[in-house]
């Protein structure tokens, strides 16, 4: 064989795009490429990114984790499908287009619905190309031939089918209800589209005087005094003795000419404030329920744009909420109704898209009855049909399912799936239809109007696992649906567990009769090193494409996997990704060393194994078992850490160094034998690492003479083989590693240069055999010139040596032959004195109750570890000094 030249430096830019194109051109991402078609399929659907968005590091994490698990299952021979796609993202996309129009001095109203949608499809097309390029850059091995979009023809049919079916099953209704209203986006939002944040505000105390009385009043408190203009009652508890004599009384509403009743309801908390509650049914969900129980009037004081409407006194009309609040407060003070204001920190709802404060708003909307769907979804989990990783999310899921509210699915937007409902202007008949209609089915009138609203974005994405596989009609299947549904796993972040995960389970059970997936892996969020969420406002975000450009896709993927412990957020900064880059570089350099030493070598059949070869195969075997188990239970960090330890420590630091004995000192036959084994181990190691480092492993694998032109992506993952498990060789090699490590450490502590060959005596009991078998290897790895191995006896420590005790053996290093022992004794004495002072300081710090109580637990633990390490070092130094 000839030597094979890998570039001197690891440069992912030189091959990552080329390798991705190679995979794509050869159809490697399709499930049809499976090695063992008889196996069950492994299927994942991508959480579809917003088509007008840009991938952030959260997407980088999510897609990296999916890619790792997909690549692993593909290598087990299973037909593996990862379905890609994008979400039309109603509010977000419409906002993007409206901002673009605004820059041109236009508005969507001026453009009209049809032209606006044309513009939106153009923007979608432009941004979709960006998303595709980003996913390719990070190495996502998705089946691009099966890519879907939530508004493509097939998915649009599925959405309409589901809407009509829900209506037919009495699970969908339309009515006037209080909704979460975003005045900026101009649309209703579902409860889970509202982000609640602690906000600094004020509590205002006001007097409501009884009708016809100047001195008698009830004091109420509110955070939104402008809403009093929509009050229709004041409520107190029926058992509150302060108000029991006031039944039948009315109060004059401040700033108006209206009288409102005093009502009695057990909802009111007697112990909170004055025990009296202003009731504003159109602008508070709890007051809405009170109004229904007491048949109160409902007065909406807001316009859709957040200004006050004609239901309020003329001076407040058309004022935005904040200005109206200030005007109302000034008038309350002037009229004697104002008591006081107090600072208050309270939870305020904000739009999840534009961050505008949400207003409870009375509006006619479409709702899905969720309780019947939730009951099925809860039962599915209880029967073990779905499994959460980690299990702690089961409690969250159970709580949501048991406390679910109806889902408002209509949105006052133009971009999205338009609601397939028509109202007849002549007979008033509402028609919900799978097909567009031109005449009223009831009276044949052509004077019909389609509902102008569109469906919530999540109404299409809750169908994603089965609609992407071709489902668009109840009871009708497709080949992909038959083969790949239910899917196997869903991998997503915890911030959309109810937005998406729970709803998909409900939809899957309702429309296919099956849970849409078995495994639900919920990963944490990516945060900065201070634990803060990454955001533009904080300037702490990391662009995954910039990370790929600087470190490579493999470095990003490996680092994120290495740090991804179940149930925990990931704290990173840019420096964190150097770890993954260094590991990929290590794989490159180790492989380069092997390939550049092939000159003149030949591969041989049935090569014999040395003890060190048996050891590395046993370590590779153990790593394969550990990594398989970790991948199957979504323990990404365990898989990555096992890979790191095996390749860096076992393969590079020990085995690769050990092979130099054969490669440099053996005859041609021994060199050929060692080369054959080494290439086989390297090949298997690259397979082991591939799911975590796909690009660099494929690039190297393509150059291996024993790869025979195959591609790593579709090769079989190493399996645990009991025949390769060698506990005896692992035990023997561990003793060898311990001995070598002890000699290396002592050499360093004594300041003996690496090139100085040492004389060493080993006294061992049962451990003699591995030392005798591997004398040459020990000498090579520890820099030993002469080694003597003898049985443990009563003999004293040899003169001029320092002794170190191992497990089952002692090693004596003749340091007097290598250094000035007097100078060394002085050095050790100085080191010992320094360490003793350091120990005193550590003990004093740990004895300080205030430090232990107030310091971060991690810092306290670090100080304890330092104390233990320093105590051990002082024991060793004392022993060295006694020996000298």
């Amino acid at each position: 064989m000839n030597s094979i030249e890998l570039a001197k430096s690891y440069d992912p830019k030189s091959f990552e795009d080329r390798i991705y194109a190679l995979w794509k051109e050869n159809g490697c991402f399709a499930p049809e490429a499976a090695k063992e078609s008889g196996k069950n399929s492994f299927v994942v659907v991508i959480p579809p990114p917003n088509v007008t968005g840009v991938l952030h590091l959260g997407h980088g994490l999510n897609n990296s984790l999916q890619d790792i698990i997909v690549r692993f299952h593909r290598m087990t021979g299973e037909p593996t499908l990862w379905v890609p796609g994008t979400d039309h993202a109603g509010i977000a996309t419409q906002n993007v287009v409206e901002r673009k129009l605004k820059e041109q001095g236009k508005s969507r109203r001026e453009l009209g619905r049809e032209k606006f949608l044309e513009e939106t499809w153009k923007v979608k097309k432009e941004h979709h190309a960006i998303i595709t390029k980003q996913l390719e850059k990070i190495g996502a091995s998705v089946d691009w031939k099966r890519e879907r979009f939530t508004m493509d023809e097939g998915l649009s049919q599925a959405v309409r089918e589901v809407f009509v079916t829900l209506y037919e099953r009495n699970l969908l209704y339309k009515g006037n209800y209080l909704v979460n209203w975003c005045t900026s986006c101009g649309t209703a939002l579902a409860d889970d589209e509202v982000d609640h944040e602690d906000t600094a505000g004020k509590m205002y105390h006001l007097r409501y005087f009884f009708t016809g009385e100047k001195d008698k009043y009830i004091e109420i408190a509110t955070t939104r005094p402008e809403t009093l203009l929509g009050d229709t009652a004041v409520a107190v508890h029926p058992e509150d003795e302060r108000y029991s004599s006031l039944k039948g009384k009315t109060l004059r509403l401040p700033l108006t000419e209206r009288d409102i009743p005093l009502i009695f309801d057990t909802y009111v908390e007697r112990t909170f404030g004055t025990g009296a509650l202003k009731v504003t049914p159109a602008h508070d969900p709890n007051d809405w329920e009170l109004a229904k129980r007491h048949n109160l009037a409902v007065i909406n004081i807001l316009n859709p744009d957040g200004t006050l409407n004609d239901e309020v006194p003329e001076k407040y009309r058309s004022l935005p909420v904040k200005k109206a609040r200030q005007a109302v407060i000034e008038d309350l003070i002037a009229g004697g109704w104002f008591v006081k204001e107090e600072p208050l920190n309270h939870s305020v709802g904000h739009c999840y898209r534009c961050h505008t404060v949400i207003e409870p708003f009375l509006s006619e909307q479409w709702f899905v009855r969720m309780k019947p769907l939730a009951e099925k979804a809860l039962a599915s989990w209880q029967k073990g049909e779905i499994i959460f990783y980690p299990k702690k999310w089961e409690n969250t899921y159970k709580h949501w399912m048991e406390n679910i509210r109806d889902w408002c699915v209509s949105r006052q937007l133009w971009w999205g799936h338009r609601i397939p409902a028509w109202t007849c202007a002549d007979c008033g008949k509402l028609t919900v239809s799978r097909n567009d209609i031109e005449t009223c089915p009831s009276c044949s009138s052509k004077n019909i109007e389609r509902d102008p609203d569109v469906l919530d974005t999540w109404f299409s994405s809750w169908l994603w696992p089965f609609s992407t596989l071709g489902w668009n009609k109840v009871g009708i299947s497709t080949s992909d649906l038959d083969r790949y549904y239910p899917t196997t796993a869903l991998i997503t972040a915890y911030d959309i567990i109810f937005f998406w995960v729970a709803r998909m389970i409900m939809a899957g059970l309702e429309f296919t009769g099956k849970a849409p997936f078995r495994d639900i892996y919920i990963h944490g969020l990516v945060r900065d090193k201070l634990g803060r969420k990454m955001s533009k406002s904080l300037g702490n975000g990391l662009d995954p494409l910039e990370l790929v450009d600087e470190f490579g896709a493999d470095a990003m993927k490996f680092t994120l996997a290495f740090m991804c412990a179940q149930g925990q957020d990931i704290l990173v900064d840019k420096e964190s990704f150097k770890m993954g880059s260094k590991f990929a570089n290590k794989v490159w350099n180790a492989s380069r060393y092997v390939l550049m030493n092939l000159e003149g070598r030949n591969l041989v059949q049935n090569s014999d194994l040395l003890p060190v070869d048996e050891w590395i195969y046993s370590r590779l075997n153990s790593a394969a078992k550990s990594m398989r188990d970790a991948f199957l239970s979504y323990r990404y960090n365990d898989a990555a850490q096992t890979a790191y330890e095996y390749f860096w420590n076992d393969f590079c630091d020990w085995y690769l160094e050990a092979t130099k004995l054969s490669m440099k000192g053996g005859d041609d036959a021994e060199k050929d034998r060692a080369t054959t084994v080494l290439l086989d181990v390297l090949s298997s190691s690259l397979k082991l690492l591939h799911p975590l480092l796909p690009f660099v492993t494929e690039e190297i694998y393509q150059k291996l003479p024993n790869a025979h032109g195959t591609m790593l992506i579709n090769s079989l993952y190493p399996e645990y083989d009991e025949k390769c498990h060698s506990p005896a060789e692992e035990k023997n090699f561990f003793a060898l590693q311990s001995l070598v490590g002890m000699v290396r450490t002592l050499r360093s502590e004594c300041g003996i240069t690496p090139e100085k060959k040492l004389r060493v005596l080993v006294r061992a009991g049962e451990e003699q055999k591995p030392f005798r078998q591997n004398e040459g290897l020990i000498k090579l790895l520890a820099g030993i010139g002469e080694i003597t191995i003898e049985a443990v006896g009563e003999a004293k420590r040899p003169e001029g040596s320092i002794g170190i005790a191992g497990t089952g053996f002692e090693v004596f290093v003749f340091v007097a032959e290598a250094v000035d022992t007097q100078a060394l004794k002085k050095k050790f004495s100085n080191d010992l004195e320094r360490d003793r002072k350091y120990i005193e300081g550590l003990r004093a710090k740990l004895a300080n109750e205030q430090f232990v109580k107030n310091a971060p637990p991690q810092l306290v633990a670090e100080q304890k570890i330092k104390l233990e390490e320093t105590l051990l070092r002082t024991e060793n130094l004392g022993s060295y000094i006694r020996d000298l």
Side-chain angles (χ1 to χ4, degrees), residues 381-435:
W381 163 69
Q382 289 166 336
K383 286 186 283 189
E385 293 172 352
I386 52 177
I387 304 165
F388 283 91
Y389 298 86
K391 289 182 76 67
K392 71 173 186 177
W393 291 108
E394 292 178 349
N395 294 328
T396 306
Y397 178 78
K398 180 174 181 285
H399 175 76
W400 277 335
M401 290 296 127
E402 291 176 341
N403 296 276
I404 201 162
R405 290 173 56 175
D406 286 354
W407 174 19
C408 175
V409 294
S410 44
R411 297 290 180 271
Q412 289 62 54
L413 304 170
W414 287 353
W415 174 246
H417 297 98
R418 193 164 177 183
I419 291 173
W422 289 260
T423 302
C424 179
D426 293 333
C427 72
K429 170 80 173 177
L430 174 69
T431 302
V432 173
S433 174
R434 286 178 175 80
N435 303 305

Side-chain angles (χ1 to χ4, degrees), residues 100-117:
K100 188 177 176 183
L101 290 173
K102 192 175 181 180
E103 288 169 6
Q104 299 168 2
K106 301 175 185 175
S107 73
R108 70 177 166 114
R109 298 289 176 192
E110 291 169 3
L111 213 59
R113 187 167 193 147
E114 194 174 324
K115 290 285 185 185
F116 177 80
L117 290 176

Side-chain angles (χ1 to χ4, degrees), residues 562-605:
F562 193 90
M563 302 178 79
C564 187
Q566 278 193 12
Q568 297 178 27
D569 288 338
I570 298 175
L571 274 54
V572 294
D573 58 15
K574 203 170 187 180
E575 290 292 301
S576 305
F577 294 91
K578 287 183 177 178
M579 185 272 291
S581 180
K582 286 177 181 175
F583 185 52
N585 189 61
K586 185 76 172 178
V587 174
W588 182 268
N589 286 338
S591 303
R592 181 173 182 270
Y593 166 78
V594 174
L595 295 176
M596 67 190 294
N597 282 288
L598 297 179
E599 189 67 41
R601 303 277 57 85
N602 297 296
L603 295 179
V604 296
Q605 296 293 320

Side-chain angles (χ1 to χ4, degrees), residues 725-764:
H725 181 49
S726 303
E729 288 304 335
E730 291 208 34
K731 181 185 175 186
N732 289 345
F733 203 80
F734 178 74
L736 180 151
Q737 288 175 306
S738 299
L739 189 152
V740 170
M742 289 173 181
V743 175
R744 285 175 175 174
T745 300
L746 186 62
R747 177 192 288 276
S748 173
E749 289 175 334
C750 294
I752 302 170
T753 58
E755 59 270 12
K756 180 72 178 178
K757 299 298 179 186
L758 301 171
R759 184 161 69 93
V760 169
L761 167 66
V762 179
R763 288 180 181 153

Side-chain angles (χ1 to χ4, degrees), residues 33 35 71-77 683 686-688 690 698 701 707 710-718:
K35 290 279 185 185
R71 287 179 183 275
F72 165 72
H73 281 278
R74 188 182 288 124
M75 291 180 76
T76 65
S683 172
L686 293 174
K687 292 174 184 177
L688 194 76
H690 178 75
E698 186 74 84
Y701 188 81
T710 60
M711 278 195 281
L712 183 57
I713 187 173
N714 289 326
S715 63
L716 291 174
Y717 199 76

